[in-house]
PDB file of all heavy atoms in Angstrom:
ATOM      1  N   LEU A 414     110.643  79.574 185.052  1.00  0.00           N
ATOM      2  CA  LEU A 414     111.841  78.983 185.664  1.00  0.00           C
ATOM      3  C   LEU A 414     112.943  78.820 184.630  1.00  0.00           C
ATOM      4  O   LEU A 414     114.102  79.160 184.855  1.00  0.00           O
ATOM      5  CB  LEU A 414     111.476  77.629 186.280  1.00  0.00           C
ATOM      6  CG  LEU A 414     112.624  76.850 186.936  1.00  0.00           C
ATOM      7  CD1 LEU A 414     113.142  77.601 188.150  1.00  0.00           C
ATOM      8  CD2 LEU A 414     112.175  75.463 187.329  1.00  0.00           C
ATOM      9  N   ARG A 415     112.550  78.323 183.464  1.00  0.00           N
ATOM     10  CA  ARG A 415     113.483  78.108 182.366  1.00  0.00           C
ATOM     11  C   ARG A 415     114.152  79.410 181.924  1.00  0.00           C
ATOM     12  O   ARG A 415     115.354  79.474 181.742  1.00  0.00           O
ATOM     13  CB  ARG A 415     112.724  77.540 181.176  1.00  0.00           C
ATOM     14  CG  ARG A 415     113.315  76.307 180.632  1.00  0.00           C
ATOM     15  CD  ARG A 415     112.408  75.772 179.561  1.00  0.00           C
ATOM     16  NE  ARG A 415     112.443  74.341 179.545  1.00  0.00           N
ATOM     17  CZ  ARG A 415     113.504  73.641 179.153  1.00  0.00           C
ATOM     18  NH1 ARG A 415     114.577  74.245 178.750  1.00  0.00           N
ATOM     19  NH2 ARG A 415     113.473  72.337 179.171  1.00  0.00           N
ATOM     20  N   SER A 416     113.337  80.443 181.739  1.00  0.00           N
ATOM     21  CA  SER A 416     113.899  81.707 181.246  1.00  0.00           C
ATOM     22  C   SER A 416     114.842  82.304 182.283  1.00  0.00           C
ATOM     23  O   SER A 416     115.871  82.852 181.943  1.00  0.00           O
ATOM     24  CB  SER A 416     112.786  82.683 180.890  1.00  0.00           C
ATOM     25  OG  SER A 416     112.133  83.100 182.057  1.00  0.00           O
ATOM     26  N   ARG A 417     114.493  82.148 183.559  1.00  0.00           N
ATOM     27  CA  ARG A 417     115.390  82.645 184.612  1.00  0.00           C
ATOM     28  C   ARG A 417     116.709  81.894 184.594  1.00  0.00           C
ATOM     29  O   ARG A 417     117.758  82.472 184.764  1.00  0.00           O
ATOM     30  CB  ARG A 417     114.723  82.501 185.985  1.00  0.00           C
ATOM     31  CG  ARG A 417     113.727  83.586 186.243  1.00  0.00           C
ATOM     32  CD  ARG A 417     113.183  83.483 187.639  1.00  0.00           C
ATOM     33  NE  ARG A 417     112.093  84.415 187.835  1.00  0.00           N
ATOM     34  CZ  ARG A 417     111.216  84.323 188.806  1.00  0.00           C
ATOM     35  NH1 ARG A 417     111.298  83.370 189.681  1.00  0.00           N
ATOM     36  NH2 ARG A 417     110.255  85.214 188.928  1.00  0.00           N
ATOM     37  N   PHE A 418     116.602  80.577 184.370  1.00  0.00           N
ATOM     38  CA  PHE A 418     117.805  79.755 184.339  1.00  0.00           C
ATOM     39  C   PHE A 418     118.702  80.186 183.183  1.00  0.00           C
ATOM     40  O   PHE A 418     119.907  80.340 183.332  1.00  0.00           O
ATOM     41  CB  PHE A 418     117.418  78.285 184.193  1.00  0.00           C
ATOM     42  CG  PHE A 418     118.591  77.359 184.124  1.00  0.00           C
ATOM     43  CD1 PHE A 418     119.241  76.955 185.278  1.00  0.00           C
ATOM     44  CD2 PHE A 418     119.059  76.914 182.906  1.00  0.00           C
ATOM     45  CE1 PHE A 418     120.321  76.105 185.218  1.00  0.00           C
ATOM     46  CE2 PHE A 418     120.146  76.059 182.836  1.00  0.00           C
ATOM     47  CZ  PHE A 418     120.776  75.653 183.995  1.00  0.00           C
ATOM     48  N   LEU A 419     118.096  80.407 182.024  1.00  0.00           N
ATOM     49  CA  LEU A 419     118.888  80.796 180.858  1.00  0.00           C
ATOM     50  C   LEU A 419     119.484  82.179 181.040  1.00  0.00           C
ATOM     51  O   LEU A 419     120.599  82.441 180.633  1.00  0.00           O
ATOM     52  CB  LEU A 419     118.020  80.746 179.591  1.00  0.00           C
ATOM     53  CG  LEU A 419     117.658  79.335 179.138  1.00  0.00           C
ATOM     54  CD1 LEU A 419     116.670  79.388 177.990  1.00  0.00           C
ATOM     55  CD2 LEU A 419     118.892  78.552 178.730  1.00  0.00           C
ATOM     56  N   ASP A 420     118.728  83.097 181.663  1.00  0.00           N
ATOM     57  CA  ASP A 420     119.264  84.431 181.931  1.00  0.00           C
ATOM     58  C   ASP A 420     120.491  84.331 182.819  1.00  0.00           C
ATOM     59  O   ASP A 420     121.485  85.012 182.620  1.00  0.00           O
ATOM     60  CB  ASP A 420     118.206  85.310 182.593  1.00  0.00           C
ATOM     61  CG  ASP A 420     117.202  85.816 181.570  1.00  0.00           C
ATOM     62  OD1 ASP A 420     117.502  85.686 180.369  1.00  0.00           O
ATOM     63  OD2 ASP A 420     116.144  86.314 181.967  1.00  0.00           O
ATOM     64  N   ALA A 421     120.379  83.434 183.819  1.00  0.00           N
ATOM     65  CA  ALA A 421     121.492  83.279 184.739  1.00  0.00           C
ATOM     66  C   ALA A 421     122.740  82.802 184.002  1.00  0.00           C
ATOM     67  O   ALA A 421     123.856  83.163 184.340  1.00  0.00           O
ATOM     68  CB  ALA A 421     121.117  82.281 185.835  1.00  0.00           C
ATOM     69  N   ARG A 422     122.525  81.994 182.949  1.00  0.00           N
ATOM     70  CA  ARG A 422     123.652  81.461 182.189  1.00  0.00           C
ATOM     71  C   ARG A 422     124.364  82.557 181.417  1.00  0.00           C
ATOM     72  O   ARG A 422     125.509  82.408 181.031  1.00  0.00           O
ATOM     73  CB  ARG A 422     123.159  80.398 181.218  1.00  0.00           C
ATOM     74  CG  ARG A 422     122.641  79.173 181.900  1.00  0.00           C
ATOM     75  CD  ARG A 422     122.062  78.263 180.865  1.00  0.00           C
ATOM     76  NE  ARG A 422     123.128  77.740 180.028  1.00  0.00           N
ATOM     77  CZ  ARG A 422     123.593  76.511 180.138  1.00  0.00           C
ATOM     78  NH1 ARG A 422     123.082  75.689 180.995  1.00  0.00           N
ATOM     79  NH2 ARG A 422     124.547  76.091 179.367  1.00  0.00           N
ATOM     80  N   ARG A 423     123.662  83.641 181.125  1.00  0.00           N
ATOM     81  CA  ARG A 423     124.275  84.700 180.330  1.00  0.00           C
ATOM     82  C   ARG A 423     125.378  85.414 181.120  1.00  0.00           C
ATOM     83  O   ARG A 423     126.195  86.097 180.556  1.00  0.00           O
ATOM     84  CB  ARG A 423     123.211  85.684 179.858  1.00  0.00           C
ATOM     85  CG  ARG A 423     122.302  85.057 178.837  1.00  0.00           C
ATOM     86  CD  ARG A 423     121.296  86.036 178.291  1.00  0.00           C
ATOM     87  NE  ARG A 423     120.237  85.351 177.600  1.00  0.00           N
ATOM     88  CZ  ARG A 423     120.339  84.783 176.408  1.00  0.00           C
ATOM     89  NH1 ARG A 423     121.470  84.832 175.774  1.00  0.00           N
ATOM     90  NH2 ARG A 423     119.323  84.166 175.863  1.00  0.00           N
ATOM     91  N   LYS A 424     125.334  85.272 182.408  1.00  0.00           N
ATOM     92  CA  LYS A 424     126.394  85.865 183.199  1.00  0.00           C
ATOM     93  C   LYS A 424     127.680  85.101 182.898  1.00  0.00           C
ATOM     94  O   LYS A 424     127.665  83.925 182.599  1.00  0.00           O
ATOM     95  CB  LYS A 424     126.070  85.750 184.692  1.00  0.00           C
ATOM     96  CG  LYS A 424     124.994  86.717 185.123  1.00  0.00           C
ATOM     97  CD  LYS A 424     124.929  86.858 186.616  1.00  0.00           C
ATOM     98  CE  LYS A 424     124.483  85.603 187.296  1.00  0.00           C
ATOM     99  NZ  LYS A 424     124.315  85.765 188.745  1.00  0.00           N
TER     100      LYS A 424
END
Side-chain angles (χ1 to χ4, degrees):
Chain A
L414 179 65
R415 232 174 214 291
S416 69
R417 281 185 188 162
F418 179 81
L419 289 173
D420 282 347
R422 293 174 68 104
R423 291 184 195 286
K424 286 195 293 185

